[in-house]
Amino acid sequence: MTRPVVLTGDRTTGPLHIGHYAGSLLNRLRFQDTHEQFLLLADTQALTDNAHTPDKVRLGVMEVALDYLAIGIDPAKTTICLQSHLPALAELSMLYLNFVTVARLERNPTIKDEIRGRGFGRDIPAGFLCYPAAQAADITAFKATVVPVGEDQAPLIEQTNEIVRRINTTAGRAVLPEAQAVIPQAGRLPGVDGKAKMSKSGGNAIALSASPDEIAAAVKAMFTDPNHLRVEDPGRVEGNVVFTYLDAFDEDRTTLEELKAQYRRGGLGDSKIKRRLEDILQALIGPTRERRTQLAKDPAYVLDVIRRGTEKARSRTETTKREVVEGLGLFML
Ligand code: ATP
Ligand code: MG
């Protein structure tokens, strides 16, 4: 029996962070035993807002690949591949751009947020505005039906499915399957600065490769409740970044609920909850960082994993591209 296909990926804009872990990597670790999984090192998508810093995008490829392997992605089970070396993805993107309007792209809530966040004003790179069509190409080229992503990505999967329906309607048959987003309950992880989303580009992330000192400093600087001045004051748990992170990573739920109650009543200091969070993050990141340090000593191995994965993905995506070209009724050679 063939397994359902999973496609997801990460922009190669820097090392992965604990938001990726909670938002998507945990699901990917589970899927590699039950599904056929592809992970895309999304360097062409990273270029859509980093065209003037291609070095960052290139260096990010190794960073993200190392993070995948260090966190437990097994290349024998999951195919890791490089977006810029899969020509069918670019070709499908060009075809799909004819099945989406500029107005629809501009209305996409994720794109709207990201355009605002990046301060593009009216100078939006065309590649950036159009990346939802490219993402539709990524997903459908693998005929993926399952896409484990963070909550911020839901509108993009919706837009992918709109394109799929239009292609299928034009073809008069189901050339492509629709995809389902798998979004973790925890939602998106905020940044250490309290901003709505931790992101590589936001400078508000704790990397999965962070050193013990970096973890300690990030927790120390974390935003709690500005009105919780003395230990005996009642404090707010909602919107308190330390508690949001404890919610995401503390497995001892009973103790956590007790701590929340005590914090609300008053009598629990910020330093105590920060120490607890720091211990949890050190224990989560420590082993990953150690494995990553080992793997980084053998870049040839990592490169080989990417090469072999890209090779496998190339024939798969090329087949889909031909099916779409044929389905659309274009000339076939
Ligand atoms: P960039 O700032 O370059 O956009 P990013 O940190 O947003 O980087 P992406 O590569 O864009 O990371 O996202 C990869 C995947 O990780 C997506 O599925 C996204 O939904 C998920 N993800 C990213 N940040 C978070 C977060 N803070 N919480 C939950 N999921 C996240
Ligand atoms: Mg992002």
Side-chain angles (χ1 to χ4, degrees):
M1 226 184 70
T2 57
R3 294 176 167 197
V5 179
V6 178
L7 180 279
T8 184
D10 301 275
R11 292 152 40 88
T12 61
T13 46
L16 299 181
H17 51 68
I18 58 173
H20 295 109
Y21 182 78
S24 173
L25 290 170
L26 268 175
N27 277 334
R28 302 181 200 183
L29 289 173
R30 276 196 285 270
F31 281 133
Q32 63 180 353
D33 290 315
T34 52
H35 289 58
E36 186 184 20
Q37 178 160 255
F38 293 87
L39 294 188
L40 193 62
L41 296 161
D43 58 343
T44 35
Q45 189 186 120
L47 205 63
T48 63
D49 58 341
N50 287 286
H52 304 293
T53 48
D55 286 356
K56 170 173 150 186
V57 173
R58 187 186 68 249
L59 294 170
V61 170
M62 249 351 214
E63 297 278 1
V64 175
L66 277 170
D67 284 326
Y68 286 165
L69 298 173
I71 202 82
I73 294 294
D74 177 354
K77 299 175 179 170
T78 293
T79 305
I80 298 173
C81 52
L82 183 61
Q83 192 177 33
S84 60
H85 285 58
L86 297 170
L89 301 184
E91 293 164 341
L92 283 171
S93 302
M94 285 308 285
L95 295 172
Y96 292 0
L97 280 171
N98 304 303
F99 292 85
V100 64
T101 65
V102 172
R104 175 66 180 92
L105 290 165
E106 285 172 341
R107 271 201 313 275
N108 186 308
T110 303
I111 300 296
K112 260 180 154 167
D113 272 2
E114 291 183 344
I115 285 174
R116 211 175 305 126
R118 283 159 175 74
F120 285 142
R122 286 190 45 76
D123 296 323
I124 307 163
F128 190 87
L129 183 66
C130 298
Y131 93 68
Q135 209 159 301
D138 301 339
I139 295 168
T140 57
F142 292 92
K143 299 216 174 136
T145 52
V146 179
V147 190
V149 282
E151 181 224 60
D152 58 303
Q153 297 285 308
L156 291 162
I157 311 302
E158 230 173 88
Q159 185 146 30
T160 293
N161 287 335
E162 268 176 44
I163 293 174
V164 165
R165 287 191 289 271
R166 291 199 177 132
I167 302 266
N168 288 345
T169 304
T170 306
R173 60 191 163 86
V175 177
L176 299 170
E178 288 193 33
Q180 178 96 45
V182 178
I183 295 166
Q185 260 184 342
R188 76 183 74 175
L189 199 73
V192 291
D193 55 359
K195 287 220 176 96
K197 185 180 165 310
M198 174 176 288
S199 85
K200 297 187 222 93
S201 313
N204 60 2
I206 300 179
L208 288 171
S209 48
S211 69
D213 285 352
E214 285 168 336
I215 299 169
V219 174
K220 189 155 179 271
M222 230 171 244
F223 181 82
T224 55
D225 171 359
N227 297 317
H228 185 242
L229 298 174
R230 292 170 308 169
V231 172
E232 56 272 28
D233 290 338
R236 268 176 63 89
V237 165
E238 288 69 31
N240 184 320
V241 179
V242 177
F243 277 108
T244 309
Y245 284 21
L246 285 170
D247 269 332
F249 300 106
D250 193 340
E251 282 168 11
D252 182 354
R253 311 311 287 184
T254 317
T255 308
L256 178 57
E257 289 313 313
E258 282 165 16
L259 289 173
K260 283 185 189 171
Q262 197 189 349
Y263 194 83
R264 287 193 179 103
R265 274 196 313 271
L268 178 60
D270 282 352
S271 60
K272 280 228 172 98
I273 55 165
K274 284 191 170 180
R275 198 170 317 128
R276 183 177 181 85
L277 178 62
E278 195 200 319
D279 289 346
I280 290 170
L281 293 181
Q282 297 284 11
L284 174 78
I285 294 173
T288 306
R289 186 184 52 237
E290 295 314 312
R291 276 194 297 274
R292 197 184 197 276
T293 309
Q294 290 308 314
L295 284 157
K297 290 181 186 156
D298 192 359
Y301 165 73
V302 184
L303 202 61
D304 190 52
V305 167
I306 303 173
R307 270 213 190 100
R308 279 187 285 121
T310 305
E311 209 53 58
K312 175 174 171 193
R314 195 172 289 133
S315 63
R316 175 75 62 108
T317 53
E318 180 63 26
T319 304
T320 308
K321 184 209 76 187
R322 286 185 66 82
E323 287 169 8
V324 172
V325 169
E326 188 176 22
L328 291 177
L330 296 176
F331 198 95
M332 291 298 291
L333 283 178

